[in-house]
Amino acid sequence: MSAPSFIDKARVDYSVYLVTGRELLPAGVDYYESLELSLSQNNVTVVQIREKHAETDKFLEIARRSLAICDKYDVPMLINDNLSVCLSLPERVGLHIGQEDIPVSEARRILGEKRLLGVSVKTVEQAKVAMKQGKVDYVGVGPCYGTLSKAGITEDKVIGCAGAQKIVAELKKQEKRLPCVLIGGLNQKTAARTLFGATSAVNAPDGIAVISAIVGRTDSDVAAKELADVVGKFKAGVIASTGSSSNGVASSFALPPSTAQAKKDVEWYKSAIANLLSFHREASQGPPLIQTITSHVSSTMSANLALAFSSSPIMSHEAAEAADLSLAIGALVLNIGTISPASLEGMHVAGTCANRNLKPVVLDPVGGGATQFRKDVVRGLLNATQVTLLKGNAAELASIAGKSDQVKSRGVDSGAGALKDAVGLVKSLAQKERCLVLLSGKKDYLTDGQTVITSDNGHPLLGAITGSGCALGVTVGAGLAAACNLAKSQSGDTDVRSLGNTIVAHGHVDLLVGALTGLLAMTIASEKAAARDDVKGPGTFIPALQDELAAISAADIHRYAKIDIVTS
């Protein structure tokens, strides 16, 4: 069958968009053989030919031979930046340009309407222009991370997941929508986090553009399949959560109505927590291993309380062993109480590995609003890692939400200010960061972005000892691990969508219940410890807390839990 004269733009699948780069090929690997191998299993859906240093004649020769391969597998092809090369090829070949290249309106005038035309954008303003002009067929959003293909893409020039999310949201206005692919540093390790992180309440990316993640491999067919699997699972999650799709991608991304949640009253939650706690205590699958990168001040207490809560702690911040550990852990807890270059590197690598292996990640941004350095650390971690649960006090969470004026931070403490709208803060932050949010304080607020559950459990002595908040992050992490273990025991596996996109509940994994289990175990234990006759103050409270946490049972949940559902 002969190749079509031009591309049907409405049917282009942007899932795995391969940009070529001969300079990144492994030694001894032929470019054309690598390209054909990457297309051979139908996992690459678009190809862009990029030749930054080739003369026009050489570029055209490469493009023609590449087109023959793309035609063989019915894959649309575009040319990067070079208008003359594009015009020398059939109309089914499109063009991709950057902001510094020929103006979009001029490119469209010269190309005509039949050719596919894409443009790279890295700001919301550029996205608005692309939408308003209506001249391009899709946009590339990025750079999301640093990249091997472009020198000078430093940390301060990347937009990260947060920046990508703002741009992707801008690419859908009412009925008008521009398809988009994420670009810059995407690979098998970062793809899932970036796709979920760039998804907003109104829109989702259509795919990812990669170079070295495929070109740099000798097994380019395997590399392409790995990426296609990630994108496929992401799209399945988007469609399942919305019930709608456009070319396999959600055209109207919104949180699903909480029909099941409406039936879950306080007693339902108490029973679910009690059941999960009993399952966790039995440890039929063995105690979950909780990797914790935390303050050296609170490390011992966190480890001891993890043991008391039927979990096995490992206090490792070494980046070199993060990949191996991520295969074995039940959850990862990141705490920025004391930060060093080594621990920060360990957090980034461990977070990436946990995301890749679908392990829950708890982030405790200790003192996150106190200094600009800590603000930058927190934002960097949220950009690089899909957090499952974000835990903090009023000042820390207000800082992340950009509402620091509502409460003042003093060191790692929240200060005397009171949040004007705690419920609104945690819900909006959960929706923005696409994770569970736990606001800890005299009253605790926990939400998945829809349902907000408050807890009045806890004792003031928790605030009189160092490290109790850090240890709470560990017990919550253990609760999340227990929820995943329960899901495995019931269905044999966990659903990738539950861990990658925790706003939307799927399958048997109830992460909200898992977080509540870890929260209530700690706070109820503190009340029982403080009530003991042998506790005279903070010094005697610590060992009593450890003892009572080790003894917390399902019956204690039913008897002592003081929770309420604020919204559902």
Side-chain angles (χ1 to χ4, degrees):
M1 184 176 67
S2 61
S5 299
F6 55 89
I7 294 296
D8 183 350
K9 297 179 181 181
R11 298 186 63 185
V12 175
D13 179 359
Y14 295 95
S15 295
V16 180
Y17 185 128
L18 171 62
V19 182
T20 64
R22 290 185 300 141
E23 70 279 7
L24 297 175
L25 286 166
V29 173
D30 178 77
Y31 162 73
Y32 300 106
E33 291 178 358
S34 174
L35 177 60
E36 179 151 11
L37 184 62
S38 67
L39 271 59
S40 63
Q41 302 301 316
N42 300 311
N43 289 310
V44 170
T45 57
V46 179
V47 171
Q48 179 191 135
I49 308 302
R50 181 178 182 274
E51 289 289 336
K52 287 296 185 182
H53 306 295
E55 297 293 334
T56 299
D57 289 348
K58 180 64 175 178
F59 194 163
L60 184 56
E61 176 192 343
I62 293 170
R64 282 175 172 158
R65 291 187 62 182
S66 299
L67 179 60
I69 296 172
C70 290
D71 284 346
K72 178 179 178 180
Y73 295 98
D74 194 25
V75 175
M77 192 183 93
L78 297 95
I79 298 298
N80 177 268
D81 290 352
N82 197 311
L83 185 61
S84 63
V85 169
C86 181
L87 291 172
S88 299
L89 297 168
E91 282 189 306
R92 64 180 177 276
V93 177
L95 180 71
H96 185 91
I97 56 178
Q99 292 294 321
E100 291 76 32
D101 302 317
I102 183 173
V104 167
S105 57
E106 183 67 6
R108 176 55 77 195
R109 185 187 68 79
I110 296 172
L111 290 174
E113 295 299 322
K114 292 183 179 180
R115 290 187 191 264
L116 199 64
L117 177 61
V119 65
S120 298
V121 301
K122 58 182 177 181
T123 67
V124 169
E125 289 69 27
Q126 291 171 356
K128 288 180 178 179
V129 170
M131 286 286 284
K132 183 177 180 180
Q133 288 181 331
K135 302 294 184 181
V136 297
D137 302 299
Y138 75 94
V139 299
V141 177
C144 296
Y145 306 101
T147 171
L148 294 174
S149 63
K150 291 189 177 181
I153 301 297
T154 53
E155 187 69 24
D156 61 327
K157 294 182 180 180
V158 303
I159 63 173
C161 294
Q165 184 187 91
K166 293 177 183 177
I167 294 172
V168 171
E170 194 63 39
L171 295 172
K172 183 178 186 299
K173 296 295 181 182
Q174 297 178 345
E175 297 303 315
K176 185 178 180 181
R177 180 181 185 275
L178 267 179
C180 59
V181 293
L182 304 177
I183 61 176
L186 276 296
N187 55 43
Q188 288 80 355
K189 295 181 180 180
T190 60
R193 160 58 183 141
T194 316
L195 284 164
F196 282 113
T199 299
S200 72
V202 297
N203 200 18
D206 294 70
I208 55 174
V210 300
I211 304 181
S212 60
I214 292 178
V215 174
R217 295 264 294 266
T218 56
D219 56 346
S220 58
D221 55 337
V222 175
K225 184 180 187 307
E226 291 170 349
L227 293 167
D229 287 346
V230 171
V231 178
K233 289 175 181 177
F234 164 73
K235 289 187 175 183
V238 171
I239 294 169
S241 66
T242 63
S244 62
S245 65
S246 175
N247 194 27
V249 182
S251 58
S252 177
F253 196 90
L255 299 178
S258 186
T259 53
Q261 293 278 17
K263 301 176 183 178
K264 297 179 180 179
D265 57 14
V266 168
E267 291 307 314
W268 183 95
Y269 276 105
K270 285 185 179 181
S271 294
I273 295 164
N275 290 338
L276 181 58
L277 180 58
S278 295
F279 170 84
H280 178 57
R281 290 297 196 194
E282 292 171 3
S284 58
Q285 301 178 4
L289 182 65
I290 310 300
Q291 182 184 0
T292 304
I293 304 178
T294 188
S295 162
H296 61 260
V297 176
S298 62
S299 183
T300 299
M301 176 177 285
S302 293
N304 285 336
L305 293 183
L307 287 169
F309 193 47
S310 302
S311 303
S312 181
I314 179 166
M315 321 305 279
S316 171
H317 67 260
E318 290 295 335
E321 64 178 355
D324 290 337
L325 281 177
S326 69
L327 298 172
I329 61 173
L332 170 68
V333 179
L334 305 177
N335 180 302
I336 70 165
T338 52
I339 312 167
S340 68
S343 66
L344 186 55
E345 180 189 7
M347 288 184 189
H348 277 274
V349 176
T352 296
C353 293
N355 283 171
R356 184 170 68 244
N357 292 305
L358 309 179
K359 303 300 175 69
V361 180
V362 175
L363 175 60
D364 190 345
V366 178
T371 67
Q372 188 59 49
F373 171 72
R374 287 180 179 271
K375 290 178 182 178
D376 292 342
V377 166
V378 173
R379 180 45 53 195
L381 287 169
L382 287 172
N383 254 344
T385 303
Q386 174 59 63
V387 171
T388 311
L389 183 141
L390 179 61
K391 169 202 164 291
N393 61 30
E396 292 157 356
L397 297 188
S399 174
I400 295 171
K403 298 180 180 180
S404 295
D405 58 321
Q406 292 191 16
V407 60
K408 298 300 180 182
S409 178
R410 184 177 64 249
V412 299
D413 298 317
S414 60
L419 286 170
K420 299 174 183 177
D421 180 13
V423 171
L425 173 70
V426 295
K427 284 187 69 176
S428 62
L429 192 54
Q431 292 168 358
K432 175 185 176 184
E433 299 297 339
R434 309 200 64 73
C435 66
L436 304 176
V437 171
L438 171 59
L439 168 59
S440 60
K442 185 176 181 180
K443 180 190 288 288
D444 298 315
Y445 296 79
L446 176 66
T447 184
D448 59 358
Q450 298 179 79
T451 299
V452 179
I453 297 177
T454 62
S455 170
D456 288 305
N457 290 103
H459 193 276
L461 279 174
L462 283 172
I465 60 175
T466 298
S468 61
C470 301
L472 175 60
V474 176
T475 62
V476 168
L480 296 174
C484 293
N485 285 338
L486 179 59
K488 290 178 183 178
S489 73
Q490 293 175 336
S491 63
D493 198 2
T494 56
D495 190 329
V496 63
R497 291 164 287 179
S498 299
L499 300 179
N501 187 11
T502 59
I503 290 293
V504 183
H506 286 281
H508 301 286
V509 182
D510 198 327
L511 297 172
L512 190 64
V513 170
L516 276 169
T517 302
L519 170 65
L520 290 175
M522 180 72 159
T523 53
I524 291 174
S526 73
E527 294 174 346
K528 296 185 71 177
R532 285 171 40 162
D533 292 338
D534 59 333
V535 172
K536 308 300 181 183
T540 49
F541 173 70
I542 294 175
L545 175 63
Q546 186 174 343
D547 289 344
E548 294 300 333
L549 182 58
I552 283 290
S553 66
D556 291 322
I557 299 297
H558 284 292
R559 182 177 180 182
Y560 297 111
K562 293 177 282 189
I563 60 174
D564 193 17
I565 302 173
V566 178
T567 59
S568 60

